[in-house]
PDB file of all heavy atoms in Angstrom:
ATOM      1  N   LEU A 518     -14.982  22.446  27.474  1.00 90.00           N
ATOM      2  CA  LEU A 518     -15.126  21.141  28.108  1.00 90.00           C
ATOM      3  C   LEU A 518     -16.052  21.252  29.302  1.00 90.00           C
ATOM      4  O   LEU A 518     -16.063  22.274  29.995  1.00 90.00           O
ATOM      5  CB  LEU A 518     -13.758  20.620  28.560  1.00 90.00           C
ATOM      6  CG  LEU A 518     -12.756  20.263  27.466  1.00 90.00           C
ATOM      7  CD1 LEU A 518     -11.371  20.042  28.073  1.00 90.00           C
ATOM      8  CD2 LEU A 518     -13.191  19.021  26.697  1.00 90.00           C
ATOM      9  N   ASN A 519     -16.828  20.220  29.536  1.00 88.00           N
ATOM     10  CA  ASN A 519     -17.719  20.176  30.697  1.00 88.00           C
ATOM     11  C   ASN A 519     -16.884  19.725  31.902  1.00 88.00           C
ATOM     12  O   ASN A 519     -16.766  18.537  32.177  1.00 88.00           O
ATOM     13  CB  ASN A 519     -18.875  19.215  30.445  1.00 88.00           C
ATOM     14  CG  ASN A 519     -19.898  19.234  31.556  1.00 88.00           C
ATOM     15  OD1 ASN A 519     -19.899  20.133  32.400  1.00 88.00           O
ATOM     16  ND2 ASN A 519     -20.774  18.246  31.574  1.00 88.00           N
ATOM     17  N   LEU A 520     -16.302  20.697  32.609  1.00 83.00           N
ATOM     18  CA  LEU A 520     -15.351  20.397  33.666  1.00 83.00           C
ATOM     19  C   LEU A 520     -16.050  19.929  34.939  1.00 83.00           C
ATOM     20  O   LEU A 520     -17.082  20.476  35.335  1.00 83.00           O
ATOM     21  CB  LEU A 520     -14.511  21.639  33.980  1.00 83.00           C
ATOM     22  CG  LEU A 520     -13.665  22.190  32.823  1.00 83.00           C
ATOM     23  CD1 LEU A 520     -12.955  23.471  33.257  1.00 83.00           C
ATOM     24  CD2 LEU A 520     -12.652  21.167  32.336  1.00 83.00           C
ATOM     25  N   SER A 521     -15.462  18.936  35.572  1.00 81.00           N
ATOM     26  CA  SER A 521     -15.990  18.451  36.845  1.00 81.00           C
ATOM     27  C   SER A 521     -15.476  19.326  37.983  1.00 81.00           C
ATOM     28  O   SER A 521     -14.687  20.254  37.774  1.00 81.00           O
ATOM     29  CB  SER A 521     -15.553  16.999  37.074  1.00 81.00           C
ATOM     30  OG  SER A 521     -14.178  16.946  37.372  1.00 81.00           O
ATOM     31  N   VAL A 522     -15.888  18.992  39.198  1.00 79.00           N
ATOM     32  CA  VAL A 522     -15.444  19.759  40.361  1.00 79.00           C
ATOM     33  C   VAL A 522     -13.944  19.604  40.599  1.00 79.00           C
ATOM     34  O   VAL A 522     -13.352  20.398  41.331  1.00 79.00           O
ATOM     35  CB  VAL A 522     -16.205  19.342  41.629  1.00 79.00           C
ATOM     36  CG1 VAL A 522     -17.664  19.731  41.544  1.00 79.00           C
ATOM     37  CG2 VAL A 522     -16.052  17.859  41.896  1.00 79.00           C
ATOM     38  N   ASP A 523     -13.313  18.601  39.991  1.00 76.00           N
ATOM     39  CA  ASP A 523     -11.868  18.465  40.119  1.00 76.00           C
ATOM     40  C   ASP A 523     -11.154  19.716  39.628  1.00 76.00           C
ATOM     41  O   ASP A 523     -10.057  20.047  40.087  1.00 76.00           O
ATOM     42  CB  ASP A 523     -11.369  17.260  39.307  1.00 76.00           C
ATOM     43  CG  ASP A 523     -11.827  15.943  39.914  1.00 76.00           C
ATOM     44  OD1 ASP A 523     -12.362  15.972  41.032  1.00 76.00           O
ATOM     45  OD2 ASP A 523     -11.649  14.901  39.268  1.00 76.00           O
ATOM     46  N   PHE A 524     -11.768  20.419  38.678  1.00 78.00           N
ATOM     47  CA  PHE A 524     -11.163  21.612  38.095  1.00 78.00           C
ATOM     48  C   PHE A 524     -11.840  22.900  38.569  1.00 78.00           C
ATOM     49  O   PHE A 524     -11.171  23.907  38.762  1.00 78.00           O
ATOM     50  CB  PHE A 524     -11.237  21.539  36.560  1.00 78.00           C
ATOM     51  CG  PHE A 524     -10.459  20.407  35.970  1.00 78.00           C
ATOM     52  CD1 PHE A 524     -11.072  19.223  35.641  1.00 78.00           C
ATOM     53  CD2 PHE A 524      -9.095  20.517  35.768  1.00 78.00           C
ATOM     54  CE1 PHE A 524     -10.367  18.168  35.098  1.00 78.00           C
ATOM     55  CE2 PHE A 524      -8.372  19.473  35.232  1.00 78.00           C
ATOM     56  CZ  PHE A 524      -9.001  18.289  34.893  1.00 78.00           C
ATOM     57  N   THR A 525     -13.149  22.877  38.708  1.00 77.00           N
ATOM     58  CA  THR A 525     -13.860  24.121  39.017  1.00 77.00           C
ATOM     59  C   THR A 525     -14.049  24.352  40.510  1.00 77.00           C
ATOM     60  O   THR A 525     -14.273  25.479  40.942  1.00 77.00           O
ATOM     61  CB  THR A 525     -15.259  24.110  38.363  1.00 77.00           C
ATOM     62  OG1 THR A 525     -16.002  22.994  38.884  1.00 77.00           O
ATOM     63  CG2 THR A 525     -15.135  23.950  36.850  1.00 77.00           C
ATOM     64  N   GLY A 526     -13.959  23.293  41.295  1.00 78.00           N
ATOM     65  CA  GLY A 526     -14.298  23.401  42.702  1.00 78.00           C
ATOM     66  C   GLY A 526     -15.801  23.313  42.892  1.00 78.00           C
ATOM     67  O   GLY A 526     -16.579  23.730  42.031  1.00 78.00           O
ATOM     68  N   GLY A 527     -16.248  22.751  44.002  1.00 85.00           N
ATOM     69  CA  GLY A 527     -17.672  22.614  44.271  1.00 85.00           C
ATOM     70  C   GLY A 527     -17.977  21.290  44.943  1.00 85.00           C
ATOM     71  O   GLY A 527     -17.069  20.550  45.332  1.00 85.00           O
ATOM     72  N   SER A 528     -19.257  20.999  45.092  1.00 89.00           N
ATOM     73  CA  SER A 528     -19.707  19.754  45.714  1.00 89.00           C
ATOM     74  C   SER A 528     -20.528  18.953  44.719  1.00 89.00           C
ATOM     75  O   SER A 528     -21.287  19.528  43.923  1.00 89.00           O
ATOM     76  CB  SER A 528     -20.546  20.037  46.962  1.00 89.00           C
ATOM     77  OG  SER A 528     -19.759  20.636  47.976  1.00 89.00           O
ATOM     78  N   VAL A 529     -20.376  17.638  44.773  1.00 89.00           N
ATOM     79  CA  VAL A 529     -21.167  16.739  43.936  1.00 89.00           C
ATOM     80  C   VAL A 529     -21.912  15.776  44.844  1.00 89.00           C
ATOM     81  O   VAL A 529     -21.312  15.130  45.714  1.00 89.00           O
ATOM     82  CB  VAL A 529     -20.275  15.953  42.951  1.00 89.00           C
ATOM     83  CG1 VAL A 529     -21.103  14.896  42.218  1.00 89.00           C
ATOM     84  CG2 VAL A 529     -19.630  16.892  41.954  1.00 89.00           C
ATOM     85  N   ILE A 530     -23.221  15.700  44.632  1.00 91.00           N
ATOM     86  CA  ILE A 530     -24.074  14.801  45.413  1.00 91.00           C
ATOM     87  C   ILE A 530     -24.752  13.841  44.449  1.00 91.00           C
ATOM     88  O   ILE A 530     -25.390  14.275  43.478  1.00 91.00           O
ATOM     89  CB  ILE A 530     -25.145  15.578  46.202  1.00 91.00           C
ATOM     90  CG1 ILE A 530     -24.493  16.654  47.082  1.00 91.00           C
ATOM     91  CG2 ILE A 530     -25.980  14.639  47.055  1.00 91.00           C
ATOM     92  CD1 ILE A 530     -25.483  17.609  47.703  1.00 91.00           C
ATOM     93  N   SER A 531     -24.611  12.556  44.692  1.00 91.00           N
ATOM     94  CA  SER A 531     -25.246  11.542  43.855  1.00 91.00           C
ATOM     95  C   SER A 531     -26.326  10.833  44.667  1.00 91.00           C
ATOM     96  O   SER A 531     -26.046  10.258  45.720  1.00 91.00           O
ATOM     97  CB  SER A 531     -24.206  10.537  43.361  1.00 91.00           C
ATOM     98  OG  SER A 531     -24.804   9.543  42.559  1.00 91.00           O
ATOM     99  N   LEU A 532     -27.562  10.913  44.183  1.00 92.00           N
ATOM    100  CA  LEU A 532     -28.710  10.355  44.897  1.00 92.00           C
ATOM    101  C   LEU A 532     -29.393   9.280  44.055  1.00 92.00           C
ATOM    102  O   LEU A 532     -29.604   9.469  42.851  1.00 92.00           O
ATOM    103  CB  LEU A 532     -29.724  11.462  45.214  1.00 92.00           C
ATOM    104  CG  LEU A 532     -29.199  12.696  45.955  1.00 92.00           C
ATOM    105  CD1 LEU A 532     -30.306  13.732  46.094  1.00 92.00           C
ATOM    106  CD2 LEU A 532     -28.629  12.319  47.310  1.00 92.00           C
ATOM    107  N   ALA A 533     -29.739   8.165  44.690  1.00 92.00           N
ATOM    108  CA  ALA A 533     -30.451   7.075  44.020  1.00 92.00           C
ATOM    109  C   ALA A 533     -31.876   7.011  44.557  1.00 92.00           C
ATOM    110  O   ALA A 533     -32.097   6.805  45.751  1.00 92.00           O
ATOM    111  CB  ALA A 533     -29.732   5.753  44.248  1.00 92.00           C
ATOM    112  N   TYR A 534     -32.847   7.213  43.675  1.00 93.00           N
ATOM    113  CA  TYR A 534     -34.261   7.206  44.056  1.00 93.00           C
ATOM    114  C   TYR A 534     -34.916   5.879  43.664  1.00 93.00           C
ATOM    115  O   TYR A 534     -34.452   5.176  42.742  1.00 93.00           O
ATOM    116  CB  TYR A 534     -35.004   8.336  43.336  1.00 93.00           C
ATOM    117  CG  TYR A 534     -34.744   9.714  43.884  1.00 93.00           C
ATOM    118  CD1 TYR A 534     -33.655  10.457  43.459  1.00 93.00           C
ATOM    119  CD2 TYR A 534     -35.610  10.290  44.817  1.00 93.00           C
ATOM    120  CE1 TYR A 534     -33.423  11.739  43.944  1.00 93.00           C
ATOM    121  CE2 TYR A 534     -35.388  11.566  45.310  1.00 93.00           C
ATOM    122  CZ  TYR A 534     -34.299  12.283  44.869  1.00 93.00           C
ATOM    123  OH  TYR A 534     -34.078  13.551  45.351  1.00 93.00           O
ATOM    124  N   GLY A 535     -36.012   5.567  44.328  1.00 88.00           N
ATOM    125  CA  GLY A 535     -36.858   4.466  43.870  1.00 88.00           C
ATOM    126  C   GLY A 535     -37.570   4.879  42.595  1.00 88.00           C
ATOM    127  O   GLY A 535     -37.666   4.124  41.630  1.00 88.00           O
TER     128      GLY A 535
END
Side-chain angles (χ1 to χ4, degrees):
L518 293 168
N519 186 14
L520 299 176
S521 72
V522 293
D523 291 351
F524 296 97
T525 60
S528 294
V529 173
I530 305 170
S531 180
L532 306 176
Y534 285 86

